[in-house]
Amino acid sequence: LYLVRYQQALRPLKTEPDSMSTLFLFNILNASFLSIFLYVAIGAIGLPVFSSFNGGISALVGHTGGFIWGFFIVALMCAIFADTRLAIPAGIISVIICHFIGSIQYMLVSRVTLWASILSVSLPYIFKDIILVIVAFFVAIKIKKILNKEVSK
């Protein structure tokens, strides 16, 4: 649900589908897998929660639906490695996997080569997503410190 809120709130800043999703996926930490499941479920039933206010099964099986499926890998790896020294490397690897899944689906739906798919939908955005993972790691640390102070009051 965090993802839905931020997807729509950041809509004017988007340069491509789900552009800021990476940042918020990484910050949701251990609740991320459940959040992504709910995000995909409410999108699948037709609510316009995906990029460009799309929803429905067609968004999940369309050109960029593979990136949405890849969010599960990102969420899982972030939940597993959130509080370890491997959080940033795991986040980066998960984003690369997510981009690969997205590129594969784009390749299949668009009937282009894998290389053409990567050049079209992954390469222009993957470096930004990797930077967002690193930024999200440090934002998550700050948020956890603030929450810990509030809980201890």
Side-chain angles (χ1 to χ4, degrees):
L1 297 178
Y2 291 108
L3 190 58
V4 172
R5 183 174 66 205
Y6 289 114
Q7 281 278 63
Q8 306 312 343
L10 294 171
R11 179 69 186 122
L13 302 175
K14 288 182 158 189
T15 58
E16 40 80 46
D18 306 313
S19 67
M20 296 301 285
S21 302
T22 310
L23 176 67
F24 298 103
L25 270 173
F26 200 77
N27 275 323
I28 295 169
L29 299 176
N30 291 330
S32 61
F33 197 78
L34 177 60
S35 296
I36 297 307
F37 176 79
L38 293 173
Y39 171 69
V40 172
I42 63 175
I45 62 170
L47 293 175
V49 297
F50 301 137
S51 70
S52 303
F53 294 98
N54 286 322
I57 298 295
S58 61
L60 296 172
V61 297
H63 290 87
T64 58
F67 291 95
I68 297 169
W69 296 115
F71 289 166
F72 282 104
I73 301 297
V74 175
L76 182 62
M77 289 185 72
C78 289
I80 291 169
F81 295 103
D83 296 321
T84 71
R85 294 182 302 158
L86 299 174
I88 291 176
I92 292 170
I93 291 168
S94 69
V95 165
I96 292 168
I97 293 169
C98 180
H99 273 257
F100 186 70
I101 293 168
S103 295
I104 293 288
Q105 184 162 327
Y106 186 85
M107 175 190 74
L108 295 172
V109 173
S110 299
R111 298 181 183 181
V112 297
T113 66
L114 180 58
W115 182 243
S117 177
I118 289 169
L119 288 174
S120 297
V121 297
S122 181
L123 196 60
Y125 311 107
I126 195 162
F127 297 108
K128 175 224 16 121
D129 287 346
I130 289 170
I131 291 168
L132 288 174
V133 166
I134 296 166
V135 169
F137 174 78
F138 292 106
V139 170
I141 289 172
K142 293 286 188 188
I143 290 171
K144 287 177 90 173
K145 284 180 183 178
I146 292 168
L147 291 175
N148 286 338
K149 285 180 184 177
E150 291 296 319
V151 170
S152 63
K153 285 185 180 181

